[in-house]
């Protein structure tokens, strides 16, 4: 007795007929196409066993239906791009959607490397230093007057030189007495503290933080012996080579303020007229 060989679905004999195996089960062509064939995205018909099934992101096409949605040219074995569920050849895609190079104004083709900066795009080979004309690539660059410069060229052409270290200032400089400084080079001449953004003063062409200036150069108050900085509009009284803070210029005996008043002296002390009567 001959063993039967039937379609797994309709159970019709497959002897002498074309069949397709799926997961080790045989199917006649009609059953296989009904049960398993993909539907073509373009024409909506099943993709039969005698046709190539071209797929992209779970979508399927007959090879004769796999074409550009704009120009209708075949995309079989050709590069393509997808936009809004449509397949486009590279020419149509670049015409519709690709950015233009800021330098040469030509299309930057999909899949090619490009450089982007502040909303503009360049071919990698077009993104070059304005001075030396060498590609910048992933190296640091500095924009100036709508042009881009590699750091060495910018420093040679435009960067100011720090008066302290004589090296170029590319970012964050400080101007003091009309001369350029790096922030990290502009420091107190006594303690080395950074002065950028801090209150400071100078003496003999050197800059000092307030504490060092007061300790080194400020006159001492004859009343409290603390320095009189004279900064920020600080008022003080001078008399016979001595100085006082306004708040310290008081009668030695009764502590009455003598600012704007007459006063007497007894040795190193200052006295109001009333206390001076007892001298």
């Amino acid at each position: 007795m001959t063993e039967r060989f039937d379609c797994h679905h309709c159970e019709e004999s497959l002897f002498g007929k074309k069949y397709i195996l799926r997961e080790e089960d045989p199917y006649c062509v009609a059953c296989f196409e009904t049960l398993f064939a993909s539907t073509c995205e373009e024409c909506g018909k099943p993709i039969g066993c005698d046709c190539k099934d071209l797929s992209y992101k779970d979508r399927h096409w007959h090879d004769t239906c796999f074409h550009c949605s704009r120009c209708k040219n075949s995309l079989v074995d050709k590069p393509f791009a997808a936009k809004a569920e449509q397949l486009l050849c590279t020419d149509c895609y670049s015409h519709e959607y690709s950015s233009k190079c800021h330098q040469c104004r030509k299309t930057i083709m999909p899949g090619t490397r490009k450089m982007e900066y502040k909303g503009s795009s360049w071919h990698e080979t077009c993104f070059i230093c304005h001075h030396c004309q060498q590609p910048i690539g992933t190296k640091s660059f500095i924009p100036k007057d709508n042009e881009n410069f590699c750091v060495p060229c910018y420093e040679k052409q435009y960067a100011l030189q720090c008066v302290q270290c004589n090296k170029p200032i590319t970012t964050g400089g400080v101007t003091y007495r009309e001369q350029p400084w790096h922030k990290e080079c502009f420091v107190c001449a006594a303690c080395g503290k950074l002065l950028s953004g801090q209150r400071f003063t100078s003496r003999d062409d050197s800059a000092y933080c307030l504490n060092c200036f007061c300790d080194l150069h400020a006159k001492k108050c004859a009343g409290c012996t603390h320095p009189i900085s004279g900064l920020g509009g600080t008022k003080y009284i001078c008399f016979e080579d001595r100085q006082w803070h306004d708040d310290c210029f008081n009668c030695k005996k009764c502590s009455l303020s003598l600012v704007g008043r007459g006063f007497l002296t007894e040795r190193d002390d200052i006295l109001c007229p009333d206390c001076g009567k007892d001298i």
Side-chain angles (χ1 to χ4, degrees):
M1 182 174 182
T2 305
E3 183 179 356
R4 294 186 61 81
F5 184 58
D6 302 333
C7 171
H8 184 70
H9 181 69
C10 69
E11 298 184 349
E12 290 289 331
S13 175
L14 295 176
F15 281 113
K17 298 180 181 179
K18 184 177 180 180
Y19 65 91
I20 299 98
L21 284 176
R22 179 180 173 87
E23 296 179 354
E24 298 185 359
D25 293 322
Y27 294 84
C28 65
V29 172
C31 287
F32 182 86
E33 291 183 349
T34 300
L35 295 172
F36 305 114
S38 301
T39 301
C40 177
E41 289 280 335
E42 180 67 16
C43 67
K45 297 178 180 179
I47 302 174
C49 300
D50 57 345
C51 297
K52 287 185 178 180
D53 183 346
L54 303 181
S55 64
Y56 173 71
K57 289 188 174 180
D58 296 326
R59 300 164 66 196
H60 299 264
W61 291 262
H62 294 103
D63 59 346
T64 54
C65 295
F66 192 61
H67 53 66
C68 173
S69 61
R70 289 281 196 279
C71 68
K72 305 305 180 181
N73 287 331
S74 175
L75 297 177
V76 177
D77 296 327
K78 295 180 181 179
F80 64 90
K83 186 75 173 180
E85 299 298 315
Q86 292 184 326
L87 301 184
L88 300 169
C89 65
T90 53
D91 288 341
C92 289
Y93 182 89
S94 62
H95 179 73
E96 292 286 332
Y97 303 109
S98 290
S99 53
K100 299 295 189 293
C101 176
H102 186 75
Q103 178 69 20
C104 70
R105 309 312 302 172
K106 294 181 180 179
T107 298
I108 301 175
M109 298 300 291
T112 60
R113 294 189 64 181
K114 66 178 180 178
M115 310 300 293
E116 294 182 324
Y117 177 66
K118 287 190 174 181
S120 296
S121 300
W122 289 260
H123 292 107
E124 186 178 27
T125 53
C126 291
F127 192 62
I128 60 177
C129 170
H130 182 68
H131 182 67
C132 69
Q133 300 294 300
Q134 294 300 308
I136 294 174
T138 58
K139 294 181 293 186
S140 298
F141 67 95
I142 301 171
K144 181 176 175 60
D145 300 333
N146 296 321
E147 302 291 353
N148 299 313
F149 296 83
C150 65
V151 173
C153 285
Y154 180 86
E155 291 178 349
K156 291 177 183 177
Q157 293 288 109
Y158 300 108
L160 298 173
Q161 305 294 314
C162 174
V163 298
Q164 177 67 20
C165 68
N166 294 320
K167 294 181 180 179
I169 302 173
T170 55
T171 58
V174 174
T175 300
Y176 173 63
R177 291 191 172 180
E178 300 183 356
Q179 292 182 314
W181 303 66
H182 289 112
K183 284 185 177 181
E184 58 272 22
C185 293
F186 188 57
V187 298
C188 173
C191 69
K193 178 182 178 181
L194 292 176
L195 297 179
S196 177
Q198 307 296 323
R199 294 182 66 194
F200 66 91
T201 188
S202 62
R203 183 183 176 91
D204 300 330
D205 295 328
S206 296
Y208 296 89
C209 66
L210 297 189
N211 289 337
C212 288
F213 179 83
C214 289
D215 290 342
L216 296 173
H217 303 295
K219 298 179 182 298
K220 301 298 189 292
C221 174
C224 68
T225 70
H226 292 159
I228 302 173
S229 68
L231 301 172
T234 303
K235 294 181 179 180
Y236 61 96
I237 308 297
C238 292
F239 177 70
E240 292 184 351
D241 298 327
R242 290 189 294 166
Q243 294 81 30
W244 291 262
H245 295 106
D246 267 18
D247 294 340
C248 296
F249 194 59
N250 304 321
C251 174
K252 180 67 175 178
K253 290 187 177 181
C254 70
S255 299
L256 177 72
S257 174
L258 298 179
V259 177
R261 299 170 179 265
F263 60 90
L264 302 173
T265 61
E266 181 183 12
R267 300 184 183 86
D268 291 335
D269 297 331
I270 54 174
L271 303 170
C272 67
D274 290 339
C275 293
K277 293 177 182 178
D278 300 330
I279 298 176

